[in-house]
């Protein structure tokens, strides 16, 4: 079994939820990708999941749909084999039916049951509504809609808190303003390259919601750098975005700070963000993140980045 610090690091409240989070949350969207049950790669994936569950951070973030359900399945195998260290837990998300696209109350309850069964647990503390792009907001909020399923689960005590987890600001803002949700998870939109989620972060905080900011590296470009060919928000980066990354690299180099460290700390230092969700696909990333979290970055670096002015548009809303 992996060794782990006694308690997760630097715990803080996740808004009004009563849950405690570390400054970093580990994202499991890639866990179990192309690893069907019994695959030779399964033990390695389970070891990664166990390392996440015994690492320095309180929460592992997954969803019903990640890796076609294998992310939850692999986490379930790790939970059965090694358990989780004290204070660590998995949170998940409900997703539309992958066959029919249905995303109503009944699908929310089924999605939740699927997740519990794969994870081998009888409850989760926090359950998000994930990427509700295929449904109208009015349908989601109406009788028999997806949100009524989540409210039912919270009222029954099956979960402690519910969240909205999605990217598009124009969609997410309506869910935040509904005052039904305890938590916001936004992604790729509050980074060294994007600020458009700031309005959401402010609205969520004003309501006492907890805030996760996911994908501080934009899925990789801000970790791997301008010359890597890496994507931003899962799309190839336009020339003006790559030019901004080169400018960021020059500023970082002048201050002796690596770009991924600045990208991570941009989110960590935000007063709007309770926890920053980072995706990893190998255990050694955990120590790397812990190292980067603790690097001292000078205020001058942030001032030089601010002086660049608003970043070019890196994501279409
Ligand atoms: N709608 C939603 O709810 C939603 C949407 C997006 C994301 N999320 C959550 O947020 C998590 C994070 O998002 P993400 O994984 O897309 O983006 P991310 O955290 O910005 O980027 C993760 C990528 O950065 C790479 N990386 C990390 N440190 C590195 C380093 N020092 N050098 C080079 N590469 C490095 C990782 O590489 P390796 O693979 O090599 O470790 C991984 O591929 C997801 O796993 C998911 O849990 C949720």
């Amino acid at each position: 079994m992996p060794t782990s610090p006694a308690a997760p690091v630097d715990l803080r409240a996740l808004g009004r939820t009563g849950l405690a989070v570390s400054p970093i949350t580990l994202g499991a969207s890639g866990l179990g990708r192309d690893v069907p049950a019994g695959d030779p790669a399964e033990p390695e994936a389970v070891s990664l999941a166990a390392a996440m569950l015994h690492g320095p951070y309180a929460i592992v973030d997954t969803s019903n749909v990640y890796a076609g359900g294998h992310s939850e399945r692999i986490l379930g195998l790790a939970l059965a084999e090694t358990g989780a260290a004290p204070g660590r837990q998995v949170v998940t998300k409900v997703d539309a039916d992958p066959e029919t696209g249905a995303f109503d109350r009944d699908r929310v309850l089924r999605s939740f049951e699927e997740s519990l069964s794969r994870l081998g647990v009888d409850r989760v503390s926090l359950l998000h509504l994930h990427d509700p792009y295929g449904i109208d907001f009015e349908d989601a909020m109406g009788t028999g809609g997806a949100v009524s399923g989540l409210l039912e689960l919270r009222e029954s005590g099956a979960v402690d808190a519910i969240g909205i987890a999605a990217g598009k600001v124009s969609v997410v803002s309506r869910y935040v303003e509904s005052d039904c949700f305890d938590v916001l998870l936004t992604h790729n939109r509050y980074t060294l390259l994007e600020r458009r989620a700031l309005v959401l972060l402010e609205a969520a905080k004003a309501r006492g919601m907890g805030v996760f900011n996911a994908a501080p590296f934009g899925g990789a470009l801000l970790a791997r750098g301008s010359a890597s060919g890496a994507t931003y928000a899962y799309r190839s980066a336009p020339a003006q975005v790559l030019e901004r990354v080169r400018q960021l690299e020059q500023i970082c180099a002048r201050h002796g700070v690596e770009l991924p460290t600045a990208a991570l700390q941009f989110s960590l230092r935000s007063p709007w963000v309770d926890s920053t969700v980072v995706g990893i696909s190998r255990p050694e990333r955990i120590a790397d993140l812990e190292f980067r979290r603790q690097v001292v970055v000078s205020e001058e670096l942030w001032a030089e980045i601010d002086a660049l002015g608003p970043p070019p548009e890196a994501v279409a809303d």
Side-chain angles (χ1 to χ4, degrees), residues 13 38 114 118 158 163 197 227 230 280:
E114 287 169 6
R118 290 180 193 138
I280 60 165

Side-chain angles (χ1 to χ4, degrees), residues 243-295:
E243 177 51 27
R244 175 55 65 99
V245 178
R246 282 190 280 274
Q247 292 172 326
L248 293 168
E249 286 167 339
Q250 284 160 10
I251 293 173
C252 286
R254 279 202 292 281
H255 290 272
V257 172
E258 291 184 332
L259 180 67
T261 299
L264 178 67
Q265 291 212 11
F266 173 82
S267 180
L268 293 178
R269 74 197 289 271
S270 165
W272 312 112
V273 176
D274 296 317
S275 188
T276 299
V277 191
V278 184
I280 60 165
S281 63
R282 46 185 119 153
E284 56 270 28
R285 288 280 187 238
I286 299 174
D288 179 71
L289 284 169
E290 231 350 54
F291 169 77
R292 292 181 193 284
R293 181 175 81 85
Q294 293 176 48
V295 170

Side-chain angles (χ1 to χ4, degrees), residues 27-30 61 66 93 130-131 165-167 185 187-188 214-220 223-224 234 260 277-282 285 288 292:
S29 54
D61 176 80
Y66 286 163
K93 314 185 185 85
H130 192 203
D131 291 352
L185 184 152
H187 65 88
N188 287 292
F217 305 132
R224 300 201 181 130
Y234 324 117
V277 191
V278 184
I280 60 165
S281 63
R282 46 185 119 153
R285 288 280 187 238
D288 179 71
R292 292 181 193 284

Side-chain angles (χ1 to χ4, degrees), residues 108-315:
V108 163
L109 300 189
R110 272 199 309 279
S111 179
F112 178 58
E113 289 304 324
E114 287 169 6
S115 295
L116 294 187
S117 155
R118 290 180 193 138
L119 291 167
V121 297
D122 55 12
R123 72 190 313 281
V124 291
S125 300
L126 169 62
L127 186 67
H128 296 283
L129 178 68
H130 192 203
D131 291 352
Y133 299 132
I135 45 173
D136 289 339
F137 175 75
E138 285 72 19
D139 292 342
M141 296 300 297
T143 310
V147 176
S148 72
L150 283 161
L151 292 172
E152 229 175 282
L153 290 170
R154 188 176 63 186
E155 273 153 30
S156 71
V159 302
D160 298 319
I162 60 174
I164 172 69
K168 291 184 180 181
V169 173
S170 55
V171 173
V172 177
S173 59
R174 300 189 74 189
Y175 288 94
V176 168
E177 285 160 14
S178 74
D179 284 328
C180 289
F181 291 88
D182 308 300
V183 175
L184 162 72
L185 184 152
T186 180
H187 65 88
N188 287 292
R189 288 161 177 81
Y190 192 66
T191 71
L192 283 179
L193 280 175
E194 265 293 342
R195 308 292 145 79
R196 71 178 61 198
L198 185 56
V199 287
L200 289 181
L201 305 182
E202 289 171 341
K205 274 281 159 190
R207 286 172 163 76
M209 294 170 70
V211 173
F212 287 104
N213 185 36
F217 305 132
L221 179 59
L222 288 169
R224 300 201 181 130
S226 60
S228 65
T231 55
Y232 187 85
Y234 324 117
R235 296 206 164 83
S236 52
Q240 68 273 23
V241 171
L242 289 178
E243 177 51 27
R244 175 55 65 99
V245 178
R246 282 190 280 274
Q247 292 172 326
L248 293 168
E249 286 167 339
Q250 284 160 10
I251 293 173
C252 286
R254 279 202 292 281
H255 290 272
V257 172
E258 291 184 332
L259 180 67
T261 299
L264 178 67
Q265 291 212 11
F266 173 82
S267 180
L268 293 178
R269 74 197 289 271
S270 165
W272 312 112
V273 176
D274 296 317
S275 188
T276 299
V277 191
V278 184
I280 60 165
S281 63
R282 46 185 119 153
E284 56 270 28
R285 288 280 187 238
I286 299 174
D288 179 71
L289 284 169
E290 231 350 54
F291 169 77
R292 292 181 193 284
R293 181 175 81 85
Q294 293 176 48
V295 170
V296 177
V297 175
S298 74
E299 286 303 316
E300 287 75 29
L301 178 141
W302 303 119
E304 283 189 40
I305 289 176
D306 283 349
L308 291 174
E313 186 177 291
V315 186

